[in-house]
Amino acid sequence: MKHRSFMVVCLVLLLGTALAAFGQDATVNLESKVIESFNNTEESLYTWRKEASRFAVGKDPADKDNPSFANFGLEGGDFYPKLSFFDVWPMALYRNNREQKEIKSLGVWGKFKRMGYNWIDVYPTLKSQGDDAEPYEIPLPGHIRFLDMWVWGSNLNYYMEAYIRDEQGVIHTLYLGSLAFQGWKNLRIGIPTNIPQRRRIILDPTSASMLSTAERNSIYLKFVKFRIWTTPREEVANFYTYFHQLRVMTDVYERIFDGDEMSDPDWIRENWETGN
C-alpha cells in the first residue's frame, strides 16, 4: 500500500513538472486587435469593393468571361451589389460611449435575378492607390486564435465565409456563420490548427510596409475577403446586410532568435535593395 502511494505521488510530481515545462514553451501574450473599423475616416487605409456571381441584377449572365457589369435591361444601367457607409452601429459594443467617436458601418445592398447559390465578395484595396487599385490582402499580425466581426442580419437564410491566405500562399475558406438572425450579432470563428501559423521564410518587405517591426516579424496569415452566400430556397430579389469592426484575437508574443534583426524588412531593404 505504501509503495503504491509513493508511486502516485511520484506520478503527480512528474505531471506537474511536465505541465510547468509546457507552460514555459507555450508563452502567450493575447491581444484583441481591430483590423478594420469600417468607420471610413481620413485615417482609413482601405477602400472596400465588391464583386458578385453572374446573376446579380445589372450583370449580363451571358458574358461569362468579362467580370464587368453590363446594363441588363435596366434604366440608367443600374447594377448590384452596392456598397456604402452609414451612421449605424451595434449598441451592445459602444453603449453610451459612442458620442465621443466617429462611428460608421459598411452596408451591402444586393439583388439577384434568380434564387440559388449566388455570392457577393467584399474585399479591400489600398486607398492610397486610387480607383484602379488591385485587391489587397491585409496582414494579420501574430498567431491568430479567433477572427470576428459584427454583422447585421435580416433573418434571411444566407451565410458568410472569410478567406485567409497562409504564408505558403494557400487560401483557406472559413465558415464565419449563418445570417439567419435579426439585428446585430458578433460572428466569431476559431482558426483551425491545420492552417500553418509558423513562418518558415523571411517575410517579403513590400507586403508589410504598414506595420511595426515587431508586427512584421510575426505575420503568418493575410485576410483576403468576405463572401456572402445565398441559398436556393431563400428570397434574393432585395436584401441588405451591414459590417462593423473586423477584429482578431492574436498571440503577439515575440519570439527572439539569434540574428532576428536580419529578418526585419527594413534591414533587408537597407542592406540589399540599396546595393550595399
Side-chain angles (χ1 to χ4, degrees):
M1 182 65 69
K2 291 183 178 180
H3 179 70
R4 183 176 298 176
S5 299
F6 176 76
M7 292 294 294
V8 170
V9 172
C10 290
L11 287 174
V12 171
L13 291 174
L14 286 173
L15 180 59
T17 303
L19 289 174
F22 175 79
Q24 291 175 357
D25 291 338
T27 302
V28 296
N29 181 13
L30 292 178
E31 292 185 5
S32 177
K33 287 184 171 288
V34 176
I35 303 302
E36 172 61 293
S37 66
F38 298 109
N39 285 340
N40 195 34
T41 62
E42 292 183 359
E43 292 76 24
S44 299
L45 299 176
Y46 312 114
T47 298
W48 291 87
R49 304 188 186 279
K50 82 283 185 184
E51 181 59 275
S53 53
R54 59 181 298 199
F55 290 106
V57 169
K59 188 173 185 179
D60 186 351
D63 190 0
K64 299 179 180 179
D65 298 323
N66 186 357
S68 63
F69 290 99
N71 182 0
F72 196 63
L74 298 174
E75 292 185 8
D78 208 6
F79 59 83
Y80 295 83
K82 296 179 182 290
L83 298 183
S84 190
F85 291 93
F86 299 91
D87 296 323
V88 295
W89 49 78
M91 291 294 295
L93 185 60
Y94 294 101
R95 299 188 184 276
N96 295 326
N97 298 324
R98 57 187 173 84
E99 293 86 357
Q100 302 173 6
K101 301 178 181 179
E102 187 173 357
I103 303 174
K104 293 183 181 294
S105 296
L106 177 64
V108 181
W109 181 10
K111 292 186 180 184
F112 287 95
K113 289 185 280 288
R114 72 177 193 181
M115 297 162 67
Y117 284 111
N118 305 293
W119 53 262
I120 295 174
D121 282 350
V122 180
Y123 62 91
T125 64
L126 284 177
K127 184 184 292 186
S128 60
Q129 295 183 0
D131 294 339
D132 297 326
E134 295 293 324
Y136 178 75
E137 298 178 2
I138 303 175
L140 303 178
H143 187 100
I144 308 301
R145 300 296 182 88
F146 296 95
L147 182 146
D148 73 89
M149 183 174 64
W150 285 88
V151 180
W152 186 94
S154 52
N155 210 26
L156 293 169
N157 189 25
Y158 301 164
Y159 63 93
M160 280 188 62
E161 295 173 335
Y163 287 62
I164 59 175
R165 188 189 301 273
D166 66 31
E167 63 92 17
Q168 299 179 38
V170 178
I171 292 180
H172 303 268
T173 303
L174 305 178
Y175 176 77
L176 190 58
S178 168
L179 298 184
F181 57 84
Q182 290 180 304
W184 288 102
K185 183 178 180 180
N186 186 243
L187 299 184
R188 191 184 213 197
I189 181 68
I191 304 301
T193 56
N194 66 315
I195 296 179
Q197 293 203 61
R198 286 290 180 266
R199 180 163 44 88
R200 298 183 301 105
I201 60 175
I202 302 302
L203 182 70
D204 178 3
T206 61
S207 67
S209 58
M210 298 289 189
L211 305 175
S212 68
T213 299
E215 289 175 325
R216 288 192 304 238
N217 288 338
S218 59
I219 292 173
Y220 312 106
L221 300 179
K222 296 179 181 179
F223 169 80
V224 178
K225 64 183 178 181
F226 292 114
R227 174 167 286 185
I228 302 171
W229 282 98
T230 73
T231 53
R233 296 185 179 181
E234 187 59 275
E235 178 61 47
V236 296
N238 193 51
F239 60 90
Y240 307 87
T241 190
Y242 301 85
F243 301 150
H244 187 77
Q245 204 174 84
L246 170 64
R247 299 181 302 180
V248 294
M249 178 65 72
T250 181
D251 177 10
V252 294
Y253 175 73
E254 188 173 358
R255 293 167 177 84
I256 305 300
F257 55 89
D258 189 4
D260 66 318
E261 74 281 356
M262 295 159 61
S263 67
D264 189 317
D266 290 335
W267 189 94
I268 295 172
R269 272 192 291 265
E270 181 180 350
N271 289 276
W272 283 97
E273 297 182 11
T274 59
N276 183 25

